[in-house]
Amino acid sequence: MVEYEERTAVATPNIALIKYWGRRDSALNLPFNSSLSMTLDFSLRTKTSVLFTNKVRKDIFYLNHRQISNGSVSEKIDNVRKVVKEMKELAGVTESVKAVIASENSFPMDSGIASSASGGAALVYALNSSLNLNLSSKEMSIFARKISGSACRSVLGGIVKWNRGKREDGLDSYAEEVLDYKGWEELTDIIAIVSYRRKAIPSSVGHDITSVTSPLYRIRPELAEESIKRALKFIRDRDFEGLGEIIMRDSNNMHAAMLDSWPPIIYMNDTSIKVIHAIERLNESEGRIIAAYTFDAGPNAHVITVRPQAERVRKALESVRGVKKILKVGVGQGPKLVEESLFSNPRYPESRFLREILAA
Ligand code: PMV
């Protein structure tokens, strides 16, 4: 039997500056429009360990130290299973060899901080190394996209563009770095956590409801492509004011189309709206845009700013009633392999499980 080394990777979420919402193919997560994001630094991360063995009868997954049961029904978990199978086949792994995979997030899942993006990227990164596939970042991005669309952007660091592509097989729909993580180091994401609750409508369902039912959505794909072109120019010129306005308007446009869906989809809550007003007041008092709010499929606010303004933004957010926690996150470099595995921590059930089966 070919030996596959145990591998552990860490990857980080990304915050979309111009959003992905709506899919032309929901099996392959092919979007109607391109999107643009900033990869976040390692202060928020997913760590994923993979190991291949012929001592178990099926692939086994642990998420945050809980084994995922086979009956679990979730589009993203199904996608994980499919991608593991595809990558194993590509590496020529024999049927009797199964994967044991453990993944841990350093932040709450399903609360608007994209855990599926960092999770998908960390998994593909760890599998690529363990299976000796030597994939390019383009190939890894395509695999990560199949787990969760936004995960294809977390395979890279810095400012990243996911090209929507036109092909039916999705081979031209992957992410590329447009600016190295050191290219505009001052960019900062101040995250205001306003709720830890699980979101009511998973993005996998929301994408399709909006694109099928919202009349407003019809103008969104082309508008987003236009916004990306303009945002890229502002990024090249390091023009925060220009970029900030587009970021806010794109988030507002996506949430307007969500609200326009039937049944309506509302991810923001009262505190999210108060954050919007607080940022408007801050920018008004400054006489220019120094901070830009943006919301994903959840109520938590991401406020993009530049480092010298970070404290002022934090103060403005602290004054909003209902904000529970504030995190300051910089631009990240993308995934990396690390030594310390989740299987080596004796406190974790996945580690006990592995020791038992490997000893058997
Ligand atoms: O990757 P998904 O299916 O969780 O979709 C993410 C969609 C948004 O976070 C709302 C926008 C984006 O581009 O990340």
Side-chain angles (χ1 to χ4, degrees):
M1 170 189 142
V2 188
E3 287 298 325
Y4 299 101
E5 301 267 335
E6 176 186 328
R7 284 285 191 275
T8 299
V10 288
T12 58
N14 64 79
I15 178 65
L17 309 176
I18 307 295
K19 313 286 189 188
Y20 148 56
W21 196 251
R23 309 179 281 194
R24 63 186 164 91
D25 182 319
S26 43
L28 293 173
N29 288 331
L30 300 177
F32 279 114
N33 60 270
S34 307
S35 52
L36 191 71
S37 61
M38 161 177 151
T39 298
L40 302 181
D41 71 25
F42 287 119
S43 41
L44 298 172
R45 62 186 177 278
T46 300
K47 186 175 194 180
T48 300
S49 298
V50 302
L51 179 129
F52 288 92
T53 174
N54 52 10
K55 295 205 170 178
V56 289
R57 285 212 300 273
K58 52 185 191 312
D59 292 340
I60 294 190
F61 300 89
Y62 281 88
L63 183 55
N64 291 323
H65 316 300
R66 282 200 170 165
Q67 194 175 338
I68 295 175
S69 77
N70 271 338
S72 142
V73 273
S74 143
E75 185 184 292
K76 283 179 185 165
I77 301 285
D78 282 352
N79 292 346
V80 165
R81 291 187 204 282
K82 275 189 225 152
V83 164
V84 170
K85 188 165 177 276
E86 278 182 36
M87 290 181 75
K88 275 165 68 179
E89 277 168 11
L90 188 63
V93 176
T94 50
E95 253 307 292
S96 58
V97 176
K98 304 293 177 194
V100 183
I101 294 171
S103 192
E104 174 194 61
N105 293 318
S106 71
F107 51 91
M109 284 167 66
D110 293 326
S111 57
I113 302 180
S115 60
S116 60
S118 50
L123 175 63
V124 169
Y125 215 78
L127 286 171
N128 175 52
S129 175
S130 179
L131 295 169
N132 301 309
L133 283 168
N134 290 318
L135 298 178
S136 62
S137 59
K138 169 181 162 180
E139 291 164 315
M140 284 196 272
S141 179
I142 288 175
F143 276 121
R145 189 201 70 227
K146 294 184 199 171
I147 295 177
S148 175
S150 56
C152 80
R153 299 185 309 237
S154 273
V155 166
L156 294 132
I159 304 291
V160 176
K161 181 179 179 222
W162 170 13
N163 296 305
R164 67 175 166 189
K166 290 200 165 78
R167 291 173 60 126
E168 280 182 17
D169 60 10
L171 290 181
D172 56 354
S173 184
Y174 56 89
E176 285 174 311
E177 181 189 282
V178 295
L179 187 70
D180 176 67
Y181 77 107
K182 290 197 172 129
W184 194 355
E185 270 186 305
E186 287 198 327
L187 282 181
T188 303
D189 180 9
I190 313 281
I191 304 173
I193 307 274
V194 305
S195 168
Y196 289 105
R197 274 211 228 132
R198 237 166 204 279
K199 56 190 169 213
I201 303 170
S203 54
S204 48
V205 178
H207 282 293
D208 302 342
I209 298 181
T210 303
S211 65
V212 170
T213 68
S214 161
L216 272 188
Y217 183 80
R218 287 181 210 148
I219 59 157
R220 179 161 169 77
E222 285 320 306
L223 191 67
E225 297 299 329
E226 271 305 302
S227 302
I228 290 178
K229 276 196 205 131
R230 292 175 54 217
L232 285 173
K233 184 174 180 311
F234 291 130
I235 289 169
R236 264 197 305 277
D237 298 344
R238 307 290 188 273
D239 175 348
F240 186 82
E241 278 215 79
L243 180 65
E245 181 181 326
I246 298 198
I247 290 174
M248 293 187 277
R249 294 182 76 156
D250 183 72
S251 172
N252 293 344
N253 179 266
M254 179 183 75
H255 286 273
M258 287 166 166
L259 180 60
D260 186 48
S261 308
W262 197 256
I265 301 174
I266 304 174
Y267 286 118
M268 287 193 253
N269 67 17
D270 291 0
T271 314
S272 319
I273 304 296
K274 284 187 194 138
V275 167
I276 292 181
H277 289 307
I279 298 304
E280 283 199 315
R281 278 197 304 274
L282 177 67
N283 287 334
E284 242 168 60
S285 71
E286 193 64 23
R288 66 193 169 111
I289 293 171
I290 61 162
Y293 55 78
T294 182
F295 297 82
D296 278 344
N300 295 328
H302 293 255
V303 182
I304 312 299
T305 187
V306 282
R307 210 178 291 134
Q309 308 290 356
E311 264 321 290
R312 299 195 55 204
V313 174
R314 178 197 287 274
K315 285 217 174 77
L317 291 172
E318 264 167 12
S319 68
V320 176
R321 241 178 119 157
V323 169
K324 297 187 191 321
K325 192 173 177 177
I326 297 174
L327 308 163
K328 184 176 148 209
V329 191
V331 188
Q333 63 182 68
K336 63 175 181 190
L337 293 172
V338 294
E339 286 298 316
E340 205 190 319
S341 137
L342 294 173
F343 301 131
S344 60
N345 187 330
R347 282 188 299 130
Y348 295 157
E350 55 265 47
S351 140
R352 284 198 294 277
F353 169 79
L354 258 191
R355 266 179 294 143
E356 277 163 29
I357 59 148
L358 294 179

